Amino acid sequence: MMEMIDTLMETVMSNQVSIPLIEPMLDVLPEIPMLQYMVAFMLWKPLFAILICPGLTVGGLTLLFFPWIERKLCGRAQWRVGPHEIVWWLGGVIQLLADTLRFLFQEVIVHKDAHRPYFLQFPFLSFTIFLLPLLFIPAGTIVAIQTPYAIQIILALVCLFPLFILGLGWASNSRFAYIGTVREAFMYFAYEIPFIIAAIAMIILYGTSDPLLMASRQSIPGIILNPVAALVFFIGAAMATGRMPFEIADSDQELCAGPHVEYSGIAFGLIYVLCYEKAYILSALMTILFLGGGSGPVIAGLGDLSGVLWFVVKTYLVLTTLFMLRAVYPRYRLDQGLKLGWSPMLCLALIGLAISLVVVAVRVI
Amino acid sequence: MEETEKDRNIRILHSGVFTPLRRWATKWSLWPCHFLTSCCGVELAHTGACGYDMERLGTLNMGISRQANFIMVEGTITRKMARALRIVWEQMPDPKFVNVIGACGQRGGIFWNSYNITRPSDIVPVDFFIPGCPITPEGLLRGVRAVQEKIEGRDNTTIRFKHVELPPEEGEQNRAPTTPKIFAPTPLVRVDVPRDVDWAFGNDLVKNLKAQLNGLYTSITITDKNRIAIKTTPENLVETSRKLSDTMGVDHVKSVNVIDVPHERKFMVEYMVSGYTEELMPVILTIFTEIGREAEPEISSLTSLWESANYSERELHDFFGVKFKGNEGMKGKFLLAPDTPDTPLRRDYKLEEEQYTIEEGVPLTSAITPPHYTPPSSSPSYSESELEDLKMPAYEDVLKEAEKNDEFVAFIGPHHSGSGHLRWVMRMKGDIIKEVIPDPGYVHRSMEKIAENRLYIQNVPLTERPNISDPINMNLGYVRAIENALGIEVPERAKYIRTIMAELSRIGAFFYDMGIFPLFMGHSTGFMYSFAIREMVLELMVRMTGSRCTPSFIIPGGIRRDISDDVLDRTRKFTSAIHKRLKKYENIFVYNPVLISRMKEVGVLTREEAIRCGIVGPFLRASGVEYDVRKAEPYEVYDKLDWEATTGDAGDCLGRIFGRLEEMKQSVEIVRQAVDAVQEMPRGGVISEEILGDYKEASGDIRGYLYNVYGDLVLPKGEWTSVTEAARGTVLYSIISDGESNVPYRVRIITPCWMNLRGIIEASKGERVADFWTVYASFGYFPPEADR
Ligand code: SF4
């Protein structure tokens, strides 16, 4: 028994997040029983990744505050202030908390025509599935599951997303949801292929698909090495998350938000944040592939956390850009979106692939 | 005591362990589903836009009832809309709240005695009323605050009614100044009263007509400059019209009208037609005939000849029960709801009269019967039979046919985040629209019937209510018809000021439409920028008239009061200040590549199609017809200023938008020139001496003298038609007076949006589904204006 704990502790201790700044505190800890173990566990990299960053804490905070940031920024761009009165001295920062709680306490309506079990399952199911890719995304050097096939796995999981949206729409059994779902399915095929090719181009470029190695190989960030692939990836992300010029499937004014027109209460609350969740993951992926992950000048004292910090900053940068598209662009039509996906983007993605090959060839020679 | 529906929502918030949290969250997260029922919605849009920014309070407009928890009922709820309101309310998850804004939503407001309105409080439980016509955005925000307070548990903002005993004598003393209405008992109604006018072309035209229509007409009369009335028999009506269409180039119908003359046991049916050839442009030919007032009066339809008559004929079928043979839409009701009184515009359907003295036992306001659904008594669910009455017509035959052809049918509206307040039945095959069937009338407030029951001057506020985003032009048309009838010449200064205001109003309407358009494209920034500019126009309006949207400032003979120099200065500055903001707006929205790709070659109407559908205004000009009333039949001072009518020939959405943009820039030019001219003129004298009569002292400022001067206006016998170029096209007022009563015998109002409806349907055929909203928004369709 003791042996087992010892081996466990050994594994845990060998893979700790090192933060010089709090080291003195940690030195005091052994005197307090149990707490020492708890802290050790908390700082165990895989657990840290799941619980803190990029996992639940940062992810949760993103979902809670990013919509506020988006609404505030859009407000600024639109000559107004956005949410404000709720705690006016903080600029209404907890607006989303109020919205979430309101959804939580509101009635959930399941209409007569809906397929009841699926109608209720899908929002919750998709919420959890959408979190899975976070297991493979490293924040700096901290990652929950390290595998050499991480990027492929993330991509595979990301490709699962639209299936759940289709499920939502199907279970709703409403005319608008139906049209929205069909549009979603169409768009899915339009962006998925260029999107994956762009990611593959980067895997070829770095010669690995392990995110940690990728970060270390980006002495020059990927976005400079292969801007074309970066562009394709970014547009693909905008399409995948249904951001503005491509908000085609759930266009509010045409289809009353398409697949989730029938959802209310907390079920809608979950769907509402799904898109932010998706955007968070894709931005994180973009950070890894093109912006060097958590690399950046090391901030003394923070140790491993410095990587985490850089990672979060970069991810937010991508996220903000993605969301600010809303302030600039109106919406494309379905056929225009499809055309864009199938011709210019596919071509660009192939060009990106070619660039990667050339770079690799030059490097070899 | 039985728990009311309203209490239930509050109780939900006050039960359970999480009560404080629940209340707090609900308070800060009131999401209204925008139930834009009528004109007050314009001010709601302003509240949401950057000037007032409702989102500050955490109030985010949400188009979908399932996700909203708050309804703002904007103004009038008609019988047709009442069902929709109830349905939407039922769709929303508990707890939910209702604010009613606008006078109409309380006791009917200006439409209190209309046959088609209901009171929202009969339909859904209301938490807070906000008065005003329209409400101001400040008032609206206060309403949100009041609901927030109510959620918190403080209910001190609700009005509590107090009963007071008013002794009858005192009531008599406090009587509002008014003139008793005089209705002639057996009025002589004629639409072809001859008038001597100096109009050489007219005489030739009459000669020509007589030659062409030999044997088909009964009489041809010149009734006014540019107006000719042709009397014919019901049998010859079609033949006459065909002759006109074939030989004279008459290609569109401006208005269809039915006049009920019960004491002579007849209906008069008239078609006002004209042609877009250079000579005929300003001329209106009125072809009319008389049919017996039997149980089921019939007349042959002219739809096959002029498609533009179609919807008007269907509307008149609703109003008078006159059947137009050959028009396919004669089966059911078109504008009216199933439970609206039948044939309400016949003279024997009487509206309630207002009471100025309080009598024992007579209620101050009339009771309005709500639609016949029974709200669920105690159980929260409906039985099938109760539901039956909430249902809207389902167009069974359309559904059947669509199924046969493997098409998909979607019912869009009247509560839909992108439909405005009318319903579309859209048949689509794949992503292509096969057909769109309109179901208008959700804001039909019986403008025409009410106008028959009010003094001429009382109709001035009424006529601007259809379109409070362009009030001055709506007013101007009505007032010009009266001035023309009375032969009044308006003082020069008043004319200029009217022109300035009309153009400002046009600019305002443009920015309204161009604010709604981005919303349909999902582009909220465009909406905000546009409404920011519109806010500037409204600011000027407030300074000139004291009201943001409903000034009622233009009256027969001039304007209510003079405008001060500093306001003129400000207006002058506006004409240059607008450009900077406009530039920003253009950059972000109009020239946005995504938008251009959405609009280009979408919803094309060729010149022929446009004329056939009878569309009007800038949209007609975008299809290449150079018809602008301001040029063809200049009124006010348009002929003295230097400006150009804009025409295009693409006829697509892009052309319509760019055409209007160009036109708006011309309007700014006109305002600039007119302001310069007014600043040169001496102040004062803005009402014509002729109309003031003995009340000369009122000339500076009409306040206080209004009823003395205008109470007893009586128009000469005959039909007085005016056409005016409003922001969205030609608005036509045709007033029929019997020469004895001080109320009009009949007022016919044809608004541009009503005429454009057919164009929208035609232009969206064969386009992709998402394009429907582009087409719809490019026409600037404003349902209250269309439904009147
Ligand atoms: S008439 Fe129009 S503006 Fe006035 S209260 Fe009614 S809806 Fe509002």
Side-chain angles (χ1 to χ4, degrees), chain B residues 305-335:
Chain B
L305 221 56
W306 294 309
E307 214 182 303
S308 35
N310 189 349
Y311 289 168
S312 294
E313 284 177 355
R314 290 172 70 175
E315 171 197 38
L316 289 166
H317 173 240
D318 275 12
F319 288 168
F320 289 96
V322 174
K323 196 164 168 207
F324 290 85
K325 272 180 301 179
N327 188 328
E328 281 170 8
M330 291 291 133
K331 286 189 210 89
K333 285 189 171 173
F334 187 48
L335 268 184

Side-chain angles (χ1 to χ4, degrees), chain B residues 523-538:
Chain B
H523 192 249
S524 43
T525 312
F527 163 73
M528 298 290 170
Y529 283 22
S530 177
F531 269 67
I533 305 175
R534 200 175 128 79
E535 203 68 59
M536 289 159 69
V537 179
L538 291 192

Side-chain angles (χ1 to χ4, degrees), chain B residues 55-362:
Chain B
E55 206 184 339
R56 278 182 303 139
L57 300 174
T59 309
L60 187 73
N61 247 334
M62 191 77 186
I64 307 147
S65 43
R66 286 248 200 265
Q67 289 136 33
N69 61 346
F70 186 32
I71 299 188
M72 291 201 200
V73 178
E74 285 119 48
T76 334
I77 293 290
T78 61
R79 282 167 186 279
K80 211 167 177 173
M81 197 53 134
R83 295 182 166 73
L85 177 60
R86 184 73 200 185
I87 292 174
V88 169
W89 188 81
E90 297 280 353
Q91 297 279 320
M92 285 172 26
D94 290 338
K96 49 201 167 189
F97 305 90
V98 182
N99 258 10
V100 167
I101 64 184
C104 284
Q106 292 155 31
R107 293 268 146 174
I110 198 167
F111 301 103
W112 68 277
N113 57 353
S114 151
Y115 55 76
N116 203 26
I117 70 159
T118 57
R119 291 181 188 143
S121 49
D122 291 340
I123 317 289
V124 290
V126 178
D127 288 290
F128 197 73
F129 287 106
I130 307 159
C133 179
I135 37 79
T136 54
E138 292 89 345
L140 217 153
L141 288 179
R142 178 160 179 285
V144 177
R145 284 280 196 211
V147 172
Q148 287 185 339
E149 279 175 11
K150 194 164 187 171
I151 291 170
E152 272 187 342
R154 278 186 283 144
D155 195 6
N156 49 9
T157 33
T158 306
I159 300 170
R160 296 208 169 70
F161 292 103
K162 223 163 88 182
H163 279 280
V164 287
E165 289 296 326
L166 273 186
E169 310 84 51
E170 211 172 298
E172 188 63 36
Q173 275 167 19
N174 292 342
R175 213 177 132 143
T178 185
T179 317
K181 287 171 202 156
I182 305 162
F183 292 95
T186 51
L188 186 60
V189 182
R190 291 188 53 195
V191 299
D192 56 346
V193 182
R195 199 182 199 197
D196 271 338
V197 283
D198 174 27
W199 185 31
F201 173 67
N203 295 331
D204 294 346
L205 192 63
V206 170
K207 250 181 241 140
N208 193 357
L209 281 171
K210 283 189 174 154
Q212 294 287 354
L213 300 178
N214 199 6
L216 291 174
Y217 67 92
T218 319
S219 69
I220 298 184
T221 339
I222 296 184
T223 54
D224 200 350
K225 179 141 193 240
N226 291 338
R227 310 279 183 266
I228 292 176
I230 305 169
K231 185 172 180 179
T232 174
T233 56
E235 297 76 43
N236 285 339
L237 179 67
V238 176
E239 205 36 50
T240 316
S241 311
R242 178 159 298 129
K243 264 273 163 52
L244 284 177
S245 143
D246 290 350
T247 58
M248 307 279 300
V250 171
D251 51 16
H252 68 283
V253 172
K254 277 202 181 332
S255 152
V256 186
N257 194 1
V258 172
I259 305 153
D260 181 18
V261 195
H263 53 277
E264 293 177 23
R265 302 210 52 73
K266 68 178 183 192
F267 284 114
M268 292 156 104
V269 182
E270 54 173 10
Y271 285 82
M272 293 192 180
V273 297
S274 182
Y276 288 127
T277 58
E278 197 163 330
E279 291 167 334
L280 273 186
M281 248 183 218
V283 181
I284 297 181
L285 305 174
T286 309
I287 314 166
F288 74 101
T289 178
E290 291 169 0
I291 51 174
R293 202 171 183 276
E294 294 118 21
E296 281 187 6
E298 274 190 346
I299 180 104
S300 22
S301 155
L302 297 187
T303 306
S304 52
L305 221 56
W306 294 309
E307 214 182 303
S308 35
N310 189 349
Y311 289 168
S312 294
E313 284 177 355
R314 290 172 70 175
E315 171 197 38
L316 289 166
H317 173 240
D318 275 12
F319 288 168
F320 289 96
V322 174
K323 196 164 168 207
F324 290 85
K325 272 180 301 179
N327 188 328
E328 281 170 8
M330 291 291 133
K331 286 189 210 89
K333 285 189 171 173
F334 187 48
L335 268 184
L336 302 182
D339 54 352
T340 320
D342 282 333
T343 60
L345 254 78
R346 290 193 183 189
R347 298 293 290 187
D348 36 22
Y349 180 83
K350 292 271 187 281
L351 290 186
E352 200 123 355
E353 282 291 318
E354 62 261 71
Q355 307 237 328
Y356 288 102
T357 43
I358 299 160
E359 283 166 34
E360 288 256 10
V362 179

Side-chain angles (χ1 to χ4, degrees), chain B residues 285-535:
Chain B
L285 305 174
T286 309
I287 314 166
F288 74 101
T289 178
E290 291 169 0
I291 51 174
R293 202 171 183 276
E294 294 118 21
E296 281 187 6
E298 274 190 346
I299 180 104
S300 22
S301 155
L302 297 187
T303 306
S304 52
L305 221 56
W306 294 309
E307 214 182 303
S308 35
N310 189 349
Y311 289 168
S312 294
E313 284 177 355
R314 290 172 70 175
E315 171 197 38
L316 289 166
H317 173 240
D318 275 12
F319 288 168
F320 289 96
V322 174
K323 196 164 168 207
F324 290 85
K325 272 180 301 179
N327 188 328
E328 281 170 8
M330 291 291 133
K331 286 189 210 89
K333 285 189 171 173
F334 187 48
L335 268 184
L336 302 182
D339 54 352
T340 320
D342 282 333
T343 60
L345 254 78
R346 290 193 183 189
R347 298 293 290 187
D348 36 22
Y349 180 83
K350 292 271 187 281
L351 290 186
E352 200 123 355
E353 282 291 318
E354 62 261 71
Q355 307 237 328
Y356 288 102
T357 43
I358 299 160
E359 283 166 34
E360 288 256 10
V362 179
L364 273 176
T365 44
S366 57
I368 299 173
T369 41
H372 303 297
Y373 76 89
T374 15
S377 40
S378 49
S379 71
S381 62
Y382 286 104
S383 69
E384 265 310 308
S385 63
E386 279 167 341
L387 264 183
E388 205 44 53
D389 210 54
L390 273 183
K391 282 184 183 150
M392 315 230 178
Y395 292 84
E396 299 292 345
D397 43 339
V398 175
L399 283 173
K400 255 188 222 115
E401 204 189 313
E403 198 175 337
K404 213 166 18 163
N405 299 343
D406 194 18
E407 290 166 355
F408 190 70
V409 181
F411 291 80
I412 298 168
H415 170 71
H416 181 277
S417 32
S419 80
H421 6 299
L422 80 167
R423 196 157 74 128
W424 312 97
V425 183
M426 192 192 276
R427 288 169 53 183
M428 46 198 145
K429 187 146 192 167
D431 199 27
I432 307 287
I433 300 172
K434 280 276 166 237
E435 194 187 4
V436 183
I437 304 164
D439 179 13
Y442 286 89
V443 211
H444 173 65
R445 299 180 287 188
S446 65
M447 207 74 65
E448 292 177 4
K449 182 77 180 178
I450 294 179
E452 281 172 22
N453 284 279
R454 297 205 177 155
L455 302 178
Y456 283 102
I457 188 69
Q458 285 176 322
N459 283 338
V460 170
L462 189 70
T463 49
E464 67 191 8
R465 287 309 186 275
N467 184 355
I468 64 166
S469 60
D470 180 22
I472 305 288
N473 283 313
M474 297 302 285
N475 247 346
L476 197 56
Y478 176 74
V479 167
R480 277 183 48 238
I482 294 181
E483 280 163 2
N484 181 21
L486 296 174
I488 297 172
E489 190 54 33
V490 180
E492 197 69 6
R493 185 177 168 92
K495 271 191 186 169
Y496 270 98
I497 293 177
R498 282 176 175 202
T499 312
I500 295 171
M501 291 177 65
E503 289 311 305
L504 282 180
S505 170
R506 190 183 316 280
I507 298 169
F510 169 81
F511 281 111
Y512 178 79
D513 291 347
M514 291 305 280
I516 301 300
F517 187 26
L519 273 194
F520 280 14
M521 303 279 99
H523 192 249
S524 43
T525 312
F527 163 73
M528 298 290 170
Y529 283 22
S530 177
F531 269 67
I533 305 175
R534 200 175 128 79
E535 203 68 59

